[in-house]
Amino acid sequence: MLASYARALLPRRPARTGVVPERQLVVPAAPQDPLRIARYAELCGFPPEPAALPATYPHLLAFPHTLALLTRRDFPFPALGLVHLANRIERTRPIGADEPLGLRVALTAARPHRRGSAFDVVAEATAGGSEPVWRSVSTYLHRDRQAAPGPRPRPEQPQPGPLTERLTAPAGVGRRYAAVSGDRNPIHLHPLTARPFGFRRAIAHGMWAKARCLALLAGAEPLPDAFAVSVTFHAPLPLPSRAELRAGPRDAGRAFELRAADAGRVHLRGLVEPLALRS
């Protein structure tokens, strides 16, 4: 994995601006690693020996294949410096912690964004069949200073409720998550490695923050067997720091947000929605 990040520092071959190769990787089903699942569950706050995989866990299985696509020499943008804007995960049924999962990871074409170019990484997991039991869409931004800024979109946001939980992000959680996930982006590891990228402190992985919120929500009230959880990432969560999770009632969809402990800036906003259960 470190070799992949080293490749991310190599010069790019000349490429047409904004042209993302639409390609995919298909990985056959492989047995699960119980120790890795347990480490991930403990770090994110899920039950220590989950009968079903945490809904965010397959993202770890897809990550090395995502990185392989983003660090190919013909990929037009440097992987280091991409901004994770949003992530949506759909789980069509509970996935057993011992179920082998096959994967498909694909890139979509880039599209204009007011701050540059955006594109999606789509990952799907199958278990014992051709129909996906899990799907993730991660949206990334390549910033371009020459892009015309344009007005900031203000989509209607469901309003979360009062304080639900307090969340602590320890100084070393970026290194711990990197060890279990393989995502060793320097911005998450140490202030010294984050500083060249414009951060005074290391920042938490966005997917750790999402998983931590989901674990707290599940601990307060069980999640549906089939659901989607979408988040938009708004501001980095510096390490160490404290934050507040606020969540609305469980009805057609449960809105939530993670704010700084002083009720200041929003780190992420999300929504949990039930889906039709697949057998």
Side-chain angles (χ1 to χ4, degrees), residues 3-276:
S4 295
Y5 274 116
R7 287 199 303 273
L9 296 173
L10 295 175
R12 308 270 103 190
R13 289 179 180 172
R16 290 177 293 164
T17 302
V19 177
V20 173
E22 293 186 70
R23 56 168 56 101
Q24 66 177 10
L25 293 175
V26 178
V27 185
Q32 297 286 5
D33 181 344
L35 179 59
R36 189 184 190 194
I37 295 170
R39 290 171 61 204
Y40 176 83
E42 185 272 332
L43 181 60
C44 298
F46 293 103
E49 295 183 1
L53 287 180
T56 47
Y57 179 80
H59 181 85
L60 269 64
L61 304 179
F63 177 76
H65 311 297
T66 298
L67 192 59
L69 291 173
L70 298 183
T71 55
R72 288 178 62 110
R73 294 298 300 276
D74 62 347
F75 186 75
F77 310 134
L80 291 176
L82 291 175
V83 179
H84 198 177
L85 295 179
N87 172 264
R88 176 180 172 87
I89 286 174
E90 299 175 1
R91 186 184 76 174
T92 60
R93 66 164 176 82
I95 304 169
D98 59 351
E99 286 190 76
L101 293 179
L103 297 169
R104 183 185 75 90
V105 183
L107 300 179
T108 69
R111 55 189 180 274
H113 185 279
R114 68 182 194 87
R115 290 191 291 161
S117 299
F119 65 95
D120 296 331
V121 177
V122 180
E124 295 179 338
T126 56
S130 58
E131 287 295 319
V133 294
W134 179 93
R135 188 173 191 267
S136 167
V137 179
S138 286
T139 302
Y140 292 93
L141 168 71
H142 167 67
R143 289 178 289 197
D144 184 350
R145 293 181 180 178
Q146 297 181 349
R152 181 186 295 271
R154 294 186 180 276
E156 183 177 345
Q157 295 281 354
Q159 292 301 310
L163 173 66
T164 301
E165 295 280 357
R166 288 185 169 85
L167 181 152
T168 299
V173 76
R175 293 186 291 275
R176 292 182 63 198
Y177 188 84
V180 74
S181 71
D183 185 351
R184 293 182 172 85
N185 190 321
I187 63 176
H188 304 304
L189 303 181
H190 192 277
L192 291 179
T193 57
R195 205 162 291 154
F197 298 91
F199 301 101
R200 289 186 297 171
R201 291 187 279 171
I203 62 173
H205 293 75
M207 291 302 295
W208 174 82
K210 176 176 181 174
R212 188 73 188 95
C213 290
L214 193 64
L216 290 172
L217 292 172
E221 188 173 358
L223 298 170
D225 284 344
F227 68 93
V229 53
S230 305
V231 299
T232 52
F233 300 108
H234 292 262
L237 180 63
L239 300 176
S241 65
R242 295 183 179 181
E244 296 179 349
L245 174 65
R246 298 176 180 270
R250 178 175 170 178
D251 42 34
R254 191 176 191 190
F256 63 94
E257 68 179 18
L258 187 66
R259 281 185 174 269
D262 59 2
R265 63 180 179 170
V266 174
H267 297 297
L268 64 80
R269 285 196 173 101
L271 182 67
V272 177
E273 305 168 273
L275 297 176

